[in-house]
Amino acid sequence: GERSFLQHLAIEMERANENPPWYKRYLPDVDLDQVLAYETSKLVRVLDRRLGLTYYAVQAITIAYIVVIVFIIKKQYLDFEKS
């Protein structure tokens, strides 16, 4: 009859143990899954119009301040310090 998924998986795992990857000959105690593991940030989409409006308003005000006050009016990007 047909093998179940678990039986098939057990056979494949036995084969993998019989034929280890090439690096296991030279580095038997190294687990590449641990060595090459990395962390990521979890992204969350917040569905709240008041919070979104606040978020984008703060960004817009900050950018407008930098462009208008710092660059156009005060021209502080031209300032330099004497050393």
Side-chain angles (χ1 to χ4, degrees):
E2 287 187 31
R3 292 186 191 136
S4 72
F5 173 74
L6 292 177
Q7 289 172 330
H8 181 71
L9 186 60
I11 292 169
E12 289 299 318
M13 288 176 70
E14 284 178 26
R15 285 184 188 158
N17 288 333
E18 291 170 5
N19 300 318
W22 62 269
Y23 64 87
K24 287 290 185 183
R25 268 184 271 157
Y26 307 105
L27 303 167
D29 296 332
V30 174
D31 182 6
L32 281 184
D33 287 332
Q34 290 295 323
V35 172
L36 300 175
Y38 61 95
E39 294 183 11
T40 62
S41 307
K42 184 175 184 178
L43 297 177
V44 178
R45 184 176 188 100
V46 178
L47 298 176
D48 185 335
R49 67 179 63 113
R50 288 178 296 172
L51 191 57
L53 179 64
T54 304
Y55 174 78
Y56 288 113
V58 168
Q59 282 189 335
I61 290 167
T62 304
I63 292 170
Y65 170 79
I66 292 170
V67 170
V68 174
I69 305 296
V70 175
F71 287 152
I72 297 174
I73 295 175
K74 293 188 178 180
K75 295 186 171 61
Q76 287 181 337
Y77 64 93
L78 297 174
D79 288 350
F80 60 93
E81 292 185 19
K82 294 179 183 177
S83 54

